[in-house]
Amino acid sequence: MRQKQRRLGKLLYALFLCLWGLLLSYAVYYGLGRVWEYAGEYEASRPNHTMDAYIHGLSQNLWDEGIEETVKAMPHEVQSDDEVAEHVREMLSGGISYIRKGGGGNGRAVYGLRCNGHEFGTVTITEVDDYVSAFDTSKFPWSLLPWSIRPWKVESETFDFNGLYSSIEIVIPRSYSVLLNGVKLSQDYIVEQNIPYDVLRKYYERYDGLPTKVRYRFDNVIGSINPEIQNEKGEVFIIDPTRDDSQFIKPVAPEKMERLAGFTAAFVDRYLKFTSGAIDPQYGYQRLLPYMLKGSDLEGRMFDAMDGLSWAHTSSITIDSTQLNGALDLGEGFYILDISTIATTYEKGKGEVESVSNMRVIVRERNDDIRAISLELY
């Protein structure tokens, strides 16, 4: 009998232990479940969780409503919204990150958006005030925990893509034009004028009206644009950075060369006869005067030379040949003439002397009238 009682007692004890173990296991399981559930809410309530989700969406689409509004408000006179959007997407495709900034507090947090090492926007997130949690944080044991488990949401976002802007500066002849994406820049974009041609620099102090260059600057280029240069005829001109400004000097058309050759023959005849002293200086000067620009350096030099020519010993001169070797069109009616001439003079005590002269003459044409403004022997 006692043996049966012992067995029954052991069985009851074992059942009690099992039941206690089951109750304890359930309590542990339930408690851990609640802890894990709380941990999930806690993780979801961290600001980084909201920002990670925001950055993921932005990285997937590379676009949102705030970016679109920012792009439309940016100055981009020579580019369409779609072109600017493409540059923005290209920039954002390089990877987006965020960094906590100051200015938060009171249920708000501010983050800076970064891409390629540069900040391009700001996002402000705020706690969701009306969130209903599965835990009553005012009761034990949750009231012992010092943090909030309310999730966050994006309150506002701002973007600044000014870092995408680049500037274009280009120096071209005054009569040329600059086009960006087919849009011709007006003179409002000229930031510097009267830039001399490097090949004509020494002439500017003496002669007015020589062609000059201007500098265009355009600051609202997003990304990069290759400017198109057009000459005064609307023809595309490609600037060679390895060459000097002689590349802007155009070859002279055959019919113009014929007119310049006619001027050359008449001008050289009068110039050499005047400077030789073989004719009366006053008469020679009057014959040469219609071929010189009034008030030019050349006219002044010839006027000053009259007194000295009266002492010349040359009694006669014959122009044997005059050759226009070439002409350069400087634009705006200016030309450089390269001239060679052979003349025979007769001087008392020396007899006949043949001389070769090479000269560069700058002329200006206005209303079919050609006048010399400078002459340089070489």
Side-chain angles (χ1 to χ4, degrees):
M1 191 71 171
R2 288 182 178 178
Q3 192 173 7
K4 288 183 178 179
Q5 288 177 345
R6 287 194 196 101
R7 287 179 181 174
L8 181 60
K10 288 181 179 180
L11 180 60
L12 291 174
Y13 181 71
L15 289 174
F16 174 77
L17 289 177
C18 288
L19 181 60
W20 175 253
L22 288 173
L23 290 173
L24 185 60
S25 297
Y26 175 77
V28 170
Y29 173 78
Y30 177 79
L32 288 176
R34 292 290 283 172
V35 169
W36 282 113
E37 187 178 350
Y38 184 90
E41 284 209 29
Y42 171 80
E43 181 63 29
S45 71
R46 297 304 87 197
N48 287 356
H49 179 80
T50 300
M51 285 303 301
D52 288 342
Y54 174 84
I55 294 298
H56 177 74
L58 194 59
S59 298
Q60 289 292 316
N61 300 319
L62 302 177
W63 199 253
D64 74 0
E65 184 177 345
I67 293 178
E68 183 175 4
E69 291 176 356
T70 301
V71 165
K72 288 182 178 179
M74 295 172 67
H76 48 279
E77 302 94 309
V78 299
Q79 293 170 283
S80 67
D81 288 348
D82 289 340
E83 288 176 298
V84 177
E86 185 60 32
H87 285 296
V88 170
R89 289 191 177 98
E90 183 179 349
M91 180 198 75
L92 297 181
S93 66
I96 306 170
S97 61
Y98 63 89
I99 184 172
R100 185 73 178 261
K101 299 177 65 174
N106 296 323
R108 281 182 172 78
V110 181
Y111 291 85
L113 302 177
R114 299 176 68 83
C115 182
N116 298 325
H118 301 285
E119 188 167 313
F120 68 90
T122 301
V123 174
T124 300
I125 62 175
T126 183
E127 287 183 314
V128 180
D129 292 329
D130 57 356
Y131 175 70
V132 179
S133 172
F135 301 90
D136 188 347
T137 56
S138 66
K139 294 182 178 181
F140 181 85
W142 315 115
S143 61
L144 299 176
L145 302 176
W147 48 73
S148 168
I149 57 172
R150 285 183 296 182
W152 297 69
K153 65 180 180 180
V154 174
E155 181 183 60
S156 64
E157 57 181 358
T158 59
F159 299 95
D160 181 359
F161 296 115
N162 287 332
L164 286 175
Y165 279 122
S166 61
S167 298
I168 288 180
E169 278 196 20
I170 191 163
V171 178
I172 57 173
R174 181 174 55 193
S175 57
Y176 283 27
S177 303
V178 182
L179 287 81
L180 299 178
N181 266 0
V183 179
K184 183 178 179 181
L185 297 187
S186 69
Q187 293 188 357
D188 295 336
Y189 294 97
I190 295 177
V191 296
E192 185 180 359
Q193 303 189 63
N194 300 319
I195 302 173
Y197 282 38
D198 50 24
V199 293
L200 301 176
R201 193 174 299 274
K202 63 182 179 180
Y203 298 108
Y204 286 97
E205 291 184 1
R206 292 183 289 173
Y207 316 120
D208 295 329
L210 290 178
T212 57
K213 299 179 294 181
V214 295
R215 184 186 305 276
Y216 280 86
R217 179 183 174 90
F218 187 83
D219 292 321
N220 293 336
V221 172
I222 297 175
S224 61
I225 297 178
N226 291 323
E228 179 181 296
I229 309 303
Q230 293 184 355
N231 62 22
E232 60 270 15
K233 295 181 180 179
E235 301 166 338
V236 175
F237 185 91
I238 298 176
I239 297 176
D240 185 348
T242 65
R243 293 183 57 195
D244 60 20
D245 290 342
S246 62
Q247 65 184 298
F248 300 124
I249 299 175
K250 302 176 290 296
V252 179
E255 59 272 17
K256 183 63 66 177
M257 282 293 291
E258 188 174 339
R259 278 185 49 78
L260 292 173
F263 168 84
T264 296
F267 169 76
V268 169
D269 176 81
R270 286 157 176 75
Y271 171 77
L272 290 179
K273 288 181 177 178
F274 169 71
T275 56
S276 69
I279 61 176
D280 177 69
Q282 289 283 351
Y283 171 68
Y285 179 77
Q286 292 300 319
R287 292 182 69 242
L288 181 59
L289 198 57
Y291 294 85
M292 299 184 295
L293 183 66
K294 183 176 179 60
S296 66
D297 173 76
L298 181 60
E299 184 194 37
R301 285 169 50 199
M302 296 301 99
F303 181 83
D304 293 340
M306 281 194 294
D307 288 341
L309 291 175
S310 61
W311 300 91
H313 301 292
T314 302
S315 58
S316 66
I317 181 171
T318 302
I319 313 301
D320 300 316
S321 67
T322 297
Q323 178 67 40
L324 176 59
N325 302 317
L328 297 176
D329 185 351
L330 302 179
E332 303 184 35
F334 290 89
Y335 301 86
I336 295 180
L337 310 183
D338 185 88
I339 303 170
S340 295
T341 182
I342 301 175
T344 302
T345 59
Y346 184 85
E347 296 184 19
K348 297 176 180 178
K350 292 184 179 180
E352 290 187 345
V353 177
E354 184 180 84
S355 60
V356 178
S357 299
N358 297 304
M359 62 187 75
R360 292 189 184 91
V361 180
I362 296 181
V363 301
R364 191 194 75 178
E365 181 183 35
R366 291 288 187 275
N367 301 320
D368 293 329
D369 180 49
I370 302 174
R371 300 289 182 108
I373 59 177
S374 74
L375 184 149
E376 180 182 18
L377 297 173
Y378 69 95

